[in-house]
Amino acid sequence: MSFWRELKPAAFAAAPVTAAILALMAGVMLLASGATPTIPDRFFRLYEFAPVYLIEVSHFLSSILGLVLVLLAFGLKARLDGAWWATMATLLVASPLALFKAFAWEEAALLAAFAAILAPFHGAFPRKARLARMEVTPGWLFSAFAAVAGAGLLGMWSFQHADYGDKPFWAVMADADAARAMRGWAGAAVLLFAFGIWRLFASAATPKVVGEDDPELERVRAILAKAEEAEPGSNLALLGDKRFLFSASGESFLMFGVRGRSWISLGAPVGRRDERMELLWRFRELADSHAARPGFYGLDAEHLPDIVELGFAIAKVGESAMVSLETFTIEGTKRGNLRRAWRQAGEAGATFEVVPPEGVPAIMPELQAISDAWLVHHAGGDKSFSMGGFYPAYVAEFPVGIVRFEGKIIAFATLWTTANKSAFSMDLMRYIEEGPRRIMDFLFVELIEWGRREGYQAVEFGMAPLSGLDDRPLAPVLSRVGALIFEKGEEIYNFQGVRAYKGKYDPVWRPRYIAAPNKWAIPLVLADMGLLTSGGVAGLAKRPKKQEDGLPSAA
């Protein structure tokens, strides 16, 4: 007993993969057996007491169950509870059918033995996703197709070399044994074809998108209002385009988006620090149970130990700029240009104020007009997922810093705040050309002073994509390619302009990372991330324009 207690954890860990292999082998065995000639002596002995229709039905169903076992192997590998139950039922039905189709007692014994081995390991299959919604990968479907096709070819070859060599094909098909084999194979092929067509249109059992009218969004607001673990960018949870995974306590969440087979978490979990690791594991397990490709984007360095514990590969994707409010000042020669722009705008009559969320609906028409005018001169339109867009319900969630000139709003920035006041950030920043030049510098300086008065420790200026990547001979390939794009890709995106504009505030540059189950999946996750943010291929193809005053359009 002590030996079994020591061996049990390893046995349960190996059970899903072992069961998947055995199910695949059992399925192939049934397919091959159904497509090849029976042993004449056994068949005649069986024919003496079993009715013909029972033999025919058993032979046909055995081939179908063989294909079912091949498909269930995927669910067993994914540790699905439903796959365990379905496999047990299939084995217990297929075992007696093996006796009635051709008195194949060896097959019956092997199937019964497999069921006996699998029975004690129910606990190794804890996932509750429904089999009807399970996403089967194209590669797995191709493998199943290969097994069915191989069984058919084996059957054709067997019958052509078993006293049928001098007969034409139609004569072979007229033979009862050959026809029985071909019916079983054809039935399995038709079932696989139907299953493949169904999978093309069936959707994975992913959590739904929580829109602005969904009651779940109130849970998200409540968590953000008291989260001990949150960055300013966590407020993107209110954009209305995310899916959520909540902790058991309801005090933490992880937000993610789905693009193709990629499930991409935007940052780390939000809420309680002690629930972060559990949510990370649950996210990976949920994605794995649906054959999805999990990924994380925009991770901070402090999250990497947990991500490494998941077994993920990591790559740097850029750096984010953070300015400490305790030490920032516009005094001194280094900030002379910034100080002059701020002073000139103020002397020209520009004024600043922060409108609380409850007051934003009253000024929404003015903000909408500024945003519309701004978008006319900026290709790409409003973004989504990892960047905020001008959606009235979303804008009304936050305080808005506005600049007035001659009584009219000419610039604004929506503000991402955090419950612990560790940092705040600007989300949407838009303006019109109807006031003093460099009005955004005036707005930034005023916002920094507002943050200082409100007790925030720092202000985040967001990420500079592909910034800070090494182009050394031994650096990772992705890092070298990213560094090359950063240096030479100004026609694609204003990479260096974004870095330079944020750099004039002398920020601390913090690396940001992307993570995926293996290094080969990172480019796929990164591509799907770009499509999620840009609204598809059409949106990604629109290049942002550069600003004459130096403010990058990505702001």
Side-chain angles (χ1 to χ4, degrees):
M1 291 297 294
S2 61
F3 175 74
W4 169 244
R5 282 195 297 270
E6 294 176 359
L7 185 63
K8 184 177 178 180
F12 270 67
V17 174
T18 305
I21 294 172
L22 291 176
L24 182 61
M25 293 172 62
V28 171
M29 177 185 72
L30 289 176
L31 286 170
S33 173
T36 53
T38 59
I39 300 174
D41 293 343
R42 294 187 181 182
F43 183 81
F44 290 133
R45 208 174 305 148
L46 177 66
Y47 188 73
E48 291 176 357
F49 68 87
V52 174
Y53 72 86
L54 181 60
I55 297 174
E56 296 287 352
V57 170
S58 298
H59 200 286
F60 181 79
L61 288 180
S62 289
S63 297
I64 299 299
L65 294 178
L67 175 61
V68 170
L69 284 173
V70 171
L71 296 174
L72 284 175
F74 176 83
L76 291 172
K77 182 177 180 294
R79 304 191 295 282
L80 297 182
D81 176 70
W84 182 89
W85 283 106
T87 303
M88 290 294 296
T90 302
L91 292 172
L92 294 176
V93 172
S95 181
L97 286 179
L99 295 175
F100 285 106
K101 73 172 183 178
F103 202 63
W105 62 267
E106 299 94 341
E107 291 181 24
L110 287 173
L111 294 171
F114 179 23
I117 293 171
L118 185 61
F121 291 96
H122 185 201
F125 303 88
R127 294 173 176 164
K128 301 300 181 183
R130 289 184 294 159
L131 283 175
R133 301 291 298 277
M134 180 178 68
E135 185 171 346
V136 178
T137 63
W140 195 268
L141 272 179
F142 179 79
S143 300
F145 169 78
V148 172
L153 292 173
L154 176 63
M156 294 290 293
W157 184 89
S158 299
F159 282 103
Q160 286 180 352
H161 293 80
D163 299 330
Y164 296 102
D166 57 345
K167 294 184 180 181
F169 175 75
W170 55 86
V172 175
M173 290 298 295
D175 181 272
D177 201 21
R180 189 180 302 115
M182 295 306 293
R183 278 196 300 270
W185 173 80
V190 170
L191 178 62
L192 177 61
F193 178 75
F195 181 79
I197 294 297
W198 173 64
R199 286 315 310 160
L200 288 177
F201 298 100
S203 60
T206 57
K208 64 179 180 179
V209 173
V210 176
E212 61 186 49
D213 298 325
D214 197 303
E216 292 288 347
L217 204 60
E218 195 57 43
R219 294 179 64 188
V220 173
R221 291 191 187 97
I223 292 171
L224 287 170
K226 59 179 181 179
E228 64 174 345
E229 181 92 344
E231 295 185 310
S234 301
N235 288 286
L236 281 165
L238 302 175
L239 192 54
D241 62 352
K242 307 291 189 301
R243 292 170 165 88
F244 293 93
L245 192 61
F246 292 96
S247 65
S249 70
E251 297 181 4
S252 303
F253 68 80
L254 179 147
M255 57 180 166
F256 66 100
V258 174
R259 174 81 190 186
R261 286 190 57 228
S262 294
W263 288 20
I264 306 173
S265 169
L266 189 58
V270 178
R272 285 170 43 180
R273 190 170 289 108
D274 61 345
E275 294 182 332
R276 182 169 68 190
M277 198 68 214
E278 176 61 24
L279 274 176
L280 292 176
W281 272 114
R282 282 180 56 201
F283 175 65
R284 177 166 197 190
E285 289 166 355
L286 183 64
D288 180 67
S289 69
H290 294 95
R293 180 192 304 115
F296 294 87
Y297 180 81
L299 294 169
D300 192 66
E302 69 172 275
H303 303 135
L304 297 190
D306 291 340
I307 299 301
V308 169
E309 192 168 333
L310 293 183
F312 277 39
I314 298 167
K316 186 177 177 181
V317 290
E319 295 177 317
S320 64
M322 177 174 285
V323 174
S324 171
L325 297 185
E326 183 179 355
T327 58
F328 179 81
T329 177
I330 60 173
E331 301 301 325
T333 57
K334 191 173 184 178
R335 301 242 168 80
N337 290 335
L338 183 64
R339 185 172 62 254
R340 280 191 294 273
W342 169 74
R343 182 178 296 127
Q344 288 169 2
E347 291 173 351
T351 61
F352 167 83
E353 67 175 297
V354 172
V355 180
E358 58 270 20
V360 172
I363 61 171
M364 190 67 72
E366 291 183 83
L367 302 183
Q368 181 77 67
I370 293 172
S371 179
D372 291 344
W374 188 87
L375 288 173
V376 168
H377 302 288
H378 294 78
D382 276 319
K383 303 302 182 183
S384 58
F385 193 65
S386 68
M387 297 174 66
F390 194 96
Y391 310 109
Y394 170 71
V395 172
E397 296 277 358
F398 311 108
V400 179
I402 62 173
V403 176
R404 294 184 185 271
F405 182 69
E406 297 180 349
K408 179 181 179 181
I409 299 176
I410 61 170
F412 72 90
T414 57
L415 304 180
W416 284 337
T417 59
T418 54
N420 58 13
K421 295 200 172 184
S422 59
F424 79 98
S425 181
M426 289 76 79
D427 178 21
L428 294 177
M429 294 179 284
R430 297 180 178 178
Y431 64 98
I432 54 177
E433 301 282 357
E434 295 186 15
R437 292 185 68 253
R438 298 179 63 184
I439 195 64
M440 295 306 284
D441 282 335
F442 174 80
L443 177 59
F444 286 168
V445 172
E446 292 290 345
L447 283 172
I448 288 172
E449 290 304 316
W450 170 84
R452 201 191 325 259
R453 291 194 301 270
E454 293 293 316
Y456 287 93
Q457 300 173 27
V459 56
E460 285 193 2
F461 280 86
M463 193 168 78
L466 304 183
S467 170
L469 302 184
D470 286 324
D471 186 18
R472 297 175 180 271
L474 299 180
V477 173
L478 281 176
S479 180
R480 300 193 67 184
V481 171
L484 178 64
I485 295 174
F486 182 82
E487 291 292 330
K488 308 294 184 181
E490 288 298 290
E491 290 301 315
I492 301 173
Y493 182 84
N494 190 18
F495 295 103
Q496 296 182 42
V498 171
R499 168 88 186 202
Y501 189 86
K502 297 175 181 181
K504 68 182 183 181
Y505 294 91
D506 288 335
V508 175
W509 290 100
R510 301 170 61 183
R512 294 287 175 168
Y513 300 90
I514 189 171
N518 55 70
K519 63 180 181 180
W520 305 114
I522 289 177
L524 299 175
V525 171
L526 194 57
D528 285 332
M529 182 67 198
L531 293 171
L532 274 174
T533 298
S534 299
V537 176
L540 195 64
K542 298 177 182 178
R543 295 185 303 181
K545 298 178 182 179
K546 299 178 184 179
Q547 292 293 99
E548 293 180 1
D549 63 358
L551 178 66
S553 63

